[in-house]
Amino acid sequence: MTRDKTSSRRFSKWLVGINVALAWGAIYLGIIYLQAGAVVASGFGFIGLIAGAYMGVGHADYRAFLRSAAGSVFGMSPMTSGPIADGPIAGGGDFPLVDISHQNQEPGAQ
């Protein structure tokens, strides 16, 4: 019997944490040594970039997980066939487990 190893993303968490701490250290030293104009803007930009990239990858992983979970629950791919793909999907496809095809129908079209 084999067990699938789930990713804890431990390495990437440490990598983001260390880089953000170093960026904050550079910002602090830039302010102390009166070089804030050269360091602060790029330091904040770097922090936003690395944190945004980490969260973006996590969001993509979560969406892939939702799609695979929906496929295993319904026995099909949620975006290719079946009742979910036939009607509008809330969130524009971001949340494939939510089916709103029964809403906003014209009167008597049931």
Side-chain angles (χ1 to χ4, degrees), residues 45-108:
F46 179 73
I47 290 171
L49 177 73
I50 195 164
Y54 179 76
M55 287 185 266
V57 168
H59 178 69
D61 286 347
Y62 183 65
R63 287 178 57 180
F65 168 75
L66 285 180
R67 283 194 181 104
S68 68
S72 65
V73 168
F74 296 118
M76 61 187 157
S77 175
M79 296 307 199
T80 58
S81 64
I84 293 177
D86 294 339
I89 297 173
D94 285 344
F95 304 99
L97 296 177
V98 179
D99 181 12
I100 60 167
S101 61
H102 64 281
Q103 296 178 358
N104 300 327
Q105 293 180 351
E106 294 181 23

